[in-house]
Amino acid sequence: MIQLDIRPTRKDSYYHKKIDYFIFEKFSNTNIYINEIIKWGSLVALTIHNNLTVFIMRYSKILPEQYISSTAVVCTEICKFAISLILHIIFRVRELGSIKKYNLKMLVNELFGKESDALKTLVPACLYLVQNNLQYYSMTKLDPATFRISSQIKHVIIAVFTVVILKRRIYNHQWVSIFLLVFGIILVQFSKGDKTTSSLSSQDALINKSLGLLSVFITCLSSGFAGVYFEKMLKKTKVSPWARNVQLSLFSVIPGYIIGCLILDGKEIREKGFFSGYSRWTIYSIMCQTLTGFIVVIVIKYADNILKSFANSISIILGCIAQYFIFGFDITFTFIVGCFIVLYSSYLYGKPVKQKRYKYGLIENNKENMEELKV
């Protein structure tokens, strides 16, 4: 009886690995395209949304009847908590295929179990709480353009924290683009402000601007560290972004209500009421702040903090142009020059880095696969 040897030869093994690699590469490219669409779509949404948020916050804080900022922050975090919780449950039920397979015990375990690292979110939650309260304070002292422009110092802070915390390499041309961005933003800042700020006396305007800039600087420190820390948590864990948002919101509501509403503004709230001074513009501001949290989570998940910062910078230019028509903002020659520098720095940062290639792929992404194909 004749027996045939049907064991795969070394050559067959090579071609099988080669075919498997190209199938893997095809599906990987599809996922890459989808991620790119989500990344740039979220950045565009963030650019548009940031302008709306700043203008609405500014207008709500210059109305005659003022609301208490700490109450607005707490309301924002409650909205974030409720929406994030609903979205988390919806996506988990879809994954399991039936709502009967999902119960309260699983939900609590996913949000606060050992593998959730819930306590680690206390750090960014408290920092974001500080940031949100100081934003409302800054908007009472600075016009929207000055507020947005001064906030760009956070680019350098984020870049430093990115290197220190995430151990991510920032190339030379990216460092140049970051400092060009800051220089362009400084040029844009030389303006007279809007009608509200220019109507103040020189001494009052100087005090307001100093207090506003100090609060902006503290905001940049807190948001810069919190953003990079949160990015590390999102990209190095299996916990969903919506679960992280639930944790962030919950850990922001509790200290926000105790420290902000009961201790700092407790007397005023007891006298006037929790919702004193609220108008439709206050509601719009809370809605915008709520939506900001979700857009930022998507941007951090699919892009990074520095790309988010550049999207903010481009939105500043668009915002200043809109402010010229709405609040009577003065556009000068230095403003125009600064705009061009900001746009060029954005292009420079996004310039692709040259990478060495194997015959079938990149060294960084496919090194192990290519070593197998070389057998």
mmCIF file of all heavy atoms in Angstrom, residues 86-96 242:
data_model
loop_
_atom_site.group_PDB
_atom_site.id
_atom_site.type_symbol
_atom_site.label_atom_id
_atom_site.label_comp_id
_atom_site.label_asym_id
_atom_site.label_seq_id
_atom_site.Cartn_x
_atom_site.Cartn_y
_atom_site.Cartn_z
ATOM 1 N N ILE A 86 -26.403 55.342 31.146
ATOM 2 C CA ILE A 86 -27.350 54.792 30.166
ATOM 3 C C ILE A 86 -26.602 54.224 28.956
ATOM 4 O O ILE A 86 -26.907 53.109 28.484
ATOM 5 C CB ILE A 86 -28.357 55.883 29.734
ATOM 6 C CG1 ILE A 86 -29.263 56.259 30.911
ATOM 7 C CG2 ILE A 86 -29.198 55.402 28.549
ATOM 8 C CD1 ILE A 86 -30.135 57.473 30.647
ATOM 9 N N LEU A 87 -25.625 54.965 28.446
ATOM 10 C CA LEU A 87 -24.865 54.498 27.282
ATOM 11 C C LEU A 87 -24.074 53.235 27.600
ATOM 12 O O LEU A 87 -23.997 52.311 26.773
ATOM 13 C CB LEU A 87 -23.921 55.609 26.797
ATOM 14 C CG LEU A 87 -24.588 56.801 26.112
ATOM 15 C CD1 LEU A 87 -23.561 57.886 25.837
ATOM 16 C CD2 LEU A 87 -25.260 56.373 24.821
ATOM 17 N N HIS A 88 -23.491 53.177 28.782
ATOM 18 C CA HIS A 88 -22.732 51.987 29.175
ATOM 19 C C HIS A 88 -23.639 50.758 29.210
ATOM 20 O O HIS A 88 -23.263 49.685 28.704
ATOM 21 C CB HIS A 88 -22.082 52.204 30.541
ATOM 22 C CG HIS A 88 -21.383 50.993 31.066
ATOM 23 N ND1 HIS A 88 -20.201 50.519 30.534
ATOM 24 C CD2 HIS A 88 -21.710 50.127 32.070
ATOM 25 C CE1 HIS A 88 -19.822 49.430 31.185
ATOM 26 N NE2 HIS A 88 -20.723 49.183 32.118
ATOM 27 N N ILE A 89 -24.825 50.908 29.790
ATOM 28 C CA ILE A 89 -25.762 49.780 29.871
ATOM 29 C C ILE A 89 -26.211 49.351 28.474
ATOM 30 O O ILE A 89 -26.281 48.154 28.167
ATOM 31 C CB ILE A 89 -26.978 50.158 30.743
ATOM 32 C CG1 ILE A 89 -26.538 50.365 32.197
ATOM 33 C CG2 ILE A 89 -28.055 49.082 30.666
ATOM 34 C CD1 ILE A 89 -27.630 50.904 33.096
ATOM 35 N N ILE A 90 -26.500 50.315 27.601
ATOM 36 C CA ILE A 90 -26.946 49.995 26.240
ATOM 37 C C ILE A 90 -25.889 49.191 25.483
ATOM 38 O O ILE A 90 -26.186 48.167 24.850
ATOM 39 C CB ILE A 90 -27.297 51.295 25.470
ATOM 40 C CG1 ILE A 90 -28.569 51.916 26.043
ATOM 41 C CG2 ILE A 90 -27.471 51.005 23.977
ATOM 42 C CD1 ILE A 90 -28.901 53.277 25.462
ATOM 43 N N PHE A 91 -24.628 49.639 25.536
ATOM 44 C CA PHE A 91 -23.566 48.948 24.803
ATOM 45 C C PHE A 91 -23.272 47.570 25.390
ATOM 46 O O PHE A 91 -22.984 46.624 24.650
ATOM 47 C CB PHE A 91 -22.294 49.804 24.789
ATOM 48 C CG PHE A 91 -22.338 50.934 23.798
ATOM 49 C CD1 PHE A 91 -22.431 52.255 24.222
ATOM 50 C CD2 PHE A 91 -22.301 50.682 22.442
ATOM 51 C CE1 PHE A 91 -22.484 53.293 23.308
ATOM 52 C CE2 PHE A 91 -22.350 51.720 21.515
ATOM 53 C CZ PHE A 91 -22.441 53.023 21.949
ATOM 54 N N ARG A 92 -23.365 47.443 26.690
ATOM 55 C CA ARG A 92 -23.123 46.130 27.304
ATOM 56 C C ARG A 92 -24.236 45.146 26.958
ATOM 57 O O ARG A 92 -23.983 43.960 26.709
ATOM 58 C CB ARG A 92 -23.014 46.284 28.820
ATOM 59 C CG ARG A 92 -21.736 46.920 29.286
ATOM 60 C CD ARG A 92 -20.520 46.037 29.002
ATOM 61 N NE ARG A 92 -20.524 44.841 29.852
ATOM 62 C CZ ARG A 92 -20.363 43.614 29.409
ATOM 63 N NH1 ARG A 92 -20.221 43.381 28.118
ATOM 64 N NH2 ARG A 92 -20.344 42.598 30.241
ATOM 65 N N VAL A 93 -25.487 45.611 26.935
ATOM 66 C CA VAL A 93 -26.617 44.745 26.551
ATOM 67 C C VAL A 93 -26.464 44.303 25.101
ATOM 68 O O VAL A 93 -26.747 43.153 24.751
ATOM 69 C CB VAL A 93 -27.958 45.478 26.770
ATOM 70 C CG1 VAL A 93 -29.106 44.702 26.136
ATOM 71 C CG2 VAL A 93 -28.213 45.679 28.260
ATOM 72 N N ARG A 94 -25.990 45.208 24.240
ATOM 73 C CA ARG A 94 -25.758 44.833 22.837
ATOM 74 C C ARG A 94 -24.672 43.765 22.720
ATOM 75 O O ARG A 94 -24.776 42.848 21.903
ATOM 76 C CB ARG A 94 -25.363 46.074 22.025
ATOM 77 C CG ARG A 94 -26.541 46.958 21.650
ATOM 78 C CD ARG A 94 -26.086 48.053 20.710
ATOM 79 N NE ARG A 94 -27.197 48.882 20.271
ATOM 80 C CZ ARG A 94 -27.072 49.898 19.417
ATOM 81 N NH1 ARG A 94 -25.873 50.197 18.914
ATOM 82 N NH2 ARG A 94 -28.123 50.599 19.067
ATOM 83 N N GLU A 95 -23.638 43.891 23.510
ATOM 84 C CA GLU A 95 -22.557 42.904 23.470
ATOM 85 C C GLU A 95 -23.045 41.521 23.923
ATOM 86 O O GLU A 95 -22.668 40.502 23.338
ATOM 87 C CB GLU A 95 -21.402 43.357 24.360
ATOM 88 C CG GLU A 95 -20.632 44.548 23.815
ATOM 89 C CD GLU A 95 -19.558 45.010 24.780
ATOM 90 O OE1 GLU A 95 -19.352 44.326 25.808
ATOM 91 O OE2 GLU A 95 -18.930 46.052 24.525
ATOM 92 N N LEU A 96 -23.867 41.510 24.958
ATOM 93 C CA LEU A 96 -24.355 40.239 25.493
ATOM 94 C C LEU A 96 -25.503 39.664 24.681
ATOM 95 O O LEU A 96 -25.773 38.462 24.752
ATOM 96 C CB LEU A 96 -24.806 40.432 26.951
ATOM 97 C CG LEU A 96 -23.698 40.830 27.934
ATOM 98 C CD1 LEU A 96 -24.293 41.134 29.299
ATOM 99 C CD2 LEU A 96 -22.645 39.739 28.047
ATOM 100 N N TRP A 242 -17.276 54.795 28.452
ATOM 101 C CA TRP A 242 -18.503 55.224 29.127
ATOM 102 C C TRP A 242 -18.452 54.875 30.613
ATOM 103 O O TRP A 242 -18.940 55.640 31.453
ATOM 104 C CB TRP A 242 -19.706 54.576 28.468
ATOM 105 C CG TRP A 242 -19.710 54.741 26.981
ATOM 106 C CD1 TRP A 242 -19.675 53.760 26.037
ATOM 107 C CD2 TRP A 242 -19.694 55.976 26.258
ATOM 108 N NE1 TRP A 242 -19.653 54.296 24.773
ATOM 109 C CE2 TRP A 242 -19.664 55.662 24.880
ATOM 110 C CE3 TRP A 242 -19.707 57.319 26.628
ATOM 111 C CZ2 TRP A 242 -19.653 56.622 23.886
ATOM 112 C CZ3 TRP A 242 -19.689 58.280 25.638
ATOM 113 C CH2 TRP A 242 -19.662 57.939 24.292
#
